[in-house]
């Protein structure tokens, strides 16, 4: 295991199920110590990617490494490094919670002398100490989910792969799981899949957005929001399109813009380059418009949230059937 390698490194990974292309040349990294959200609508390929990362499923092409170690199907040495919480946990319902966790800890190679301490800690972390001797099948969905999370934690892995960990939970349980993730962050790298944007907004540092088996965006969570937010504006001017376009073209720092005529007005939507100091630049632009005799009617900043970016990126293309 390499100290400074990314926790997850995925390069050009593809996977088909017969004629269904579940993943198409997917590449991304997750750095150590981060919580990364793997965000995408249902059917995007999230579960497929997590199963590949956990060693439960083989991939057709590309490479997958965890802490610099290549992952392949059935890779046993990584069992203790990776804690995987599958989408629908196959818990042994007839077992009691501690019994089940003991069985799992043993399977994952936790030494006998450490087992009790590890199990107690995982149960405490997940808030299930009070149901330790209960039969799993008799627990509520929320508690079963926590048992599944305790299972992922029990061998003290370095990387947690969580597949939609809050699916099917009520709002209070969702809040509990989110708080738990924020606490776990101190000790683990977390890669969590979700189709719920607010989940990423509340717990993640980074985000990888997938749609139809392809990565459509990735980066720091706030970078992704900021890419659009505040940097894009709409300026309505009483003027003609030609001269306005000319002025905008010669204005330093404007990445791209659209000009649209609306009766006696033109509406310009433009985005400042990332390095531009928006306030002063906008002031200069407005002053230049006024100096050119364009009446300024309205100026609005467009504050796109991650939600808008997500909707935009995952929107069905109109050309497709
Ligand atoms: N075992 C399978 N056999 C055939 N198709 C599958 C199988 N598992 C998933 N798929 C298909 O692969 C695509 C990605 O599925 P999945 O990884 O489960 O997405 P997500 O977890 O994002 O909802 C979907 O089109 C799904 O129908
Ligand atoms: Mg899934």
């Amino acid at each position: 295991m390499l100290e400074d390698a990314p926790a997850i490194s995925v390069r050009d990974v593809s996977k088909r199920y017969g004629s269904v292309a579940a993943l198409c040349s997917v590449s991304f990294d997750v750095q150590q110590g981060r919580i990364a959200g793997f965000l995408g609508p249902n059917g995007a390929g999230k579960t497929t990617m997590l199963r590949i990362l956990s060693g439960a499923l083989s991939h057709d092409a590309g490479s997958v490494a965890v802490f610099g170690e290549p992952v392949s199907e059935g890779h046993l040495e990584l069992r203790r490094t990776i804690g995987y919480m599958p989408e629908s946990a196959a818990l042994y319902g007839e077992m009691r919670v501690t019994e089940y966790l003991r069985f799992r800890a043993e399977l994952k190679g936790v030494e006998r002398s450490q087992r009790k301490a590890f199990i107690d800690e995982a149960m405490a972390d997940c808030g299930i100490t009070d149901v330790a001797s209960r039969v799993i099948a008799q627990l509520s969905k929320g508690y079963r989910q926590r048992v599944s999370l305790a299972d992922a934690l029990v061998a003290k892995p370095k990387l947690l792969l969580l597949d939609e960990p809050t699916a099917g939970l009520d709002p209070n349980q969702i809040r509990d799981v989110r708080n738990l993730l924020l606490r776990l962050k101190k000790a683990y790298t977390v890669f969590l899949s979700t189709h719920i944007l607010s989940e990423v907004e509340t717990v993640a540092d980074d985000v990888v957005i997938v749609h139809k088996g392809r990565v459509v965006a990735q980066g720091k969570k706030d970078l992704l929001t900021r890419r659009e937010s505040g940097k894009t504006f709409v300026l309505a001017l009483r003027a003609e399109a030609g001269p306005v376009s000319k002025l905008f073209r010669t204005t330093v720092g404007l990445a791209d813009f659209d000009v649209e005529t609306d009766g006696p007005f033109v509406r310009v939507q433009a985005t400042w380059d990332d390095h531009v100091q928006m306030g002063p630049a906008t002031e200069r632009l407005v002053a230049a418009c006024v100096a050119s005799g364009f009446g300024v009617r309205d100026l609005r900043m467009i504050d796109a949230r991650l939600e808008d970016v997500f909707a935009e990126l995952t929107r069905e293309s109109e050309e497709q059937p």
Side-chain angles (χ1 to χ4, degrees):
M1 195 175 309
L2 303 172
E3 283 303 315
D4 53 354
I8 298 175
S9 184
V10 171
R11 286 291 169 279
D12 297 320
V13 165
S14 297
K15 174 71 186 178
R16 305 184 72 91
Y17 299 102
S19 63
V20 179
L23 297 173
C24 312
S25 198
V26 166
S27 299
F28 63 89
D29 284 340
V30 175
Q31 300 305 326
Q32 295 188 25
R34 317 270 303 171
I35 297 187
F38 194 43
L39 180 65
N42 289 328
K46 303 182 297 296
T47 295
T48 301
M49 189 69 246
L50 287 173
R51 294 189 65 212
I52 290 170
L53 282 165
S54 74
L57 185 70
S58 64
H59 48 286
D60 302 334
S63 64
V64 179
V66 169
F67 300 104
E69 293 280 332
V71 172
S72 54
E73 191 183 359
H75 193 133
L76 297 182
E77 293 85 271
L78 284 172
R79 268 187 320 195
R80 283 194 71 169
T81 309
I82 299 174
Y84 172 46
M85 176 181 172
E87 191 167 32
S88 39
L91 300 172
Y92 289 72
E94 75 282 6
M95 282 189 182
R96 296 180 189 280
V97 173
T98 37
E99 216 179 334
Y100 174 71
L101 292 175
R102 218 177 296 131
F103 158 67
R104 296 292 295 168
E106 187 177 348
L107 198 74
K108 295 179 195 200
V110 178
E111 283 148 39
R112 183 178 290 274
S113 61
Q114 290 182 310
R115 262 177 234 158
K116 185 175 181 330
F118 279 28
I119 291 166
D120 287 348
E121 195 174 330
M123 288 199 300
D125 274 342
C126 298
I128 53 173
T129 308
D130 53 334
V131 297
S133 55
R134 296 266 299 272
V135 172
I136 292 172
Q138 290 166 6
L139 296 174
S140 67
K141 163 100 182 153
Y143 268 96
R144 284 203 305 273
Q145 200 90 331
R146 291 196 224 175
V147 172
S148 177
L149 189 54
D151 173 4
L153 291 174
V154 78
K156 290 193 193 289
K158 295 182 60 170
L159 171 65
L160 284 177
L161 303 174
L162 311 178
D163 199 354
E164 310 238 10
T166 60
L169 301 186
D170 70 33
N172 286 332
Q173 295 167 332
I174 289 175
R175 203 193 46 227
D176 288 348
V177 171
R178 286 180 185 167
N179 288 336
L180 172 63
L181 291 178
L182 291 171
R183 283 205 308 280
L184 292 176
K185 192 190 159 179
K186 294 182 188 79
Y188 301 90
T189 302
V190 180
F191 188 56
L192 104 146
S193 90
T194 178
H195 66 278
I196 305 162
L197 188 88
S198 60
E199 199 129 296
V200 172
E201 284 181 314
T202 45
V203 303
D205 304 306
D206 305 311
V207 61
V208 178
I209 302 183
V210 277
H211 182 47
K212 294 183 173 172
R214 292 176 191 278
V215 173
V216 291
Q218 60 183 311
K220 288 202 176 88
K221 175 186 64 182
D222 61 336
L223 251 184
L224 198 56
T225 323
R226 238 190 301 136
R227 191 178 67 179
E228 304 285 326
S229 79
K231 291 276 182 184
T232 298
F233 63 91
V234 175
L235 181 61
L237 299 164
R238 182 179 281 278
E240 303 210 333
V244 168
S245 295
K246 190 162 171 231
L247 176 72
F248 270 68
R249 261 201 305 277
T250 56
T251 302
V252 182
L254 268 174
D256 57 322
F257 59 90
D258 291 315
V259 180
E260 183 190 291
T261 303
D262 179 12
F265 302 102
V266 290
R267 231 192 318 273
V268 189
Q269 176 164 335
T271 303
W272 293 111
D273 272 350
D274 276 345
H275 65 273
V276 170
Q277 278 229 303
M278 221 174 30
T282 309
E283 269 174 42
R284 275 200 304 279
L285 177 67
V286 169
C289 288
V290 172
S292 302
F294 309 151
V296 176
R297 185 196 180 206
D298 189 25
L299 172 65
R300 272 185 303 120
M301 307 313 291
I302 296 180
D303 186 15
R305 301 185 314 120
L306 188 51
E307 190 165 353
D308 305 321
V309 178
F310 178 54
E312 172 81 16
L313 292 170
T314 59
R315 196 167 52 201
E316 298 290 320
S317 159
E318 278 163 30
E319 279 88 290
Q320 286 178 350

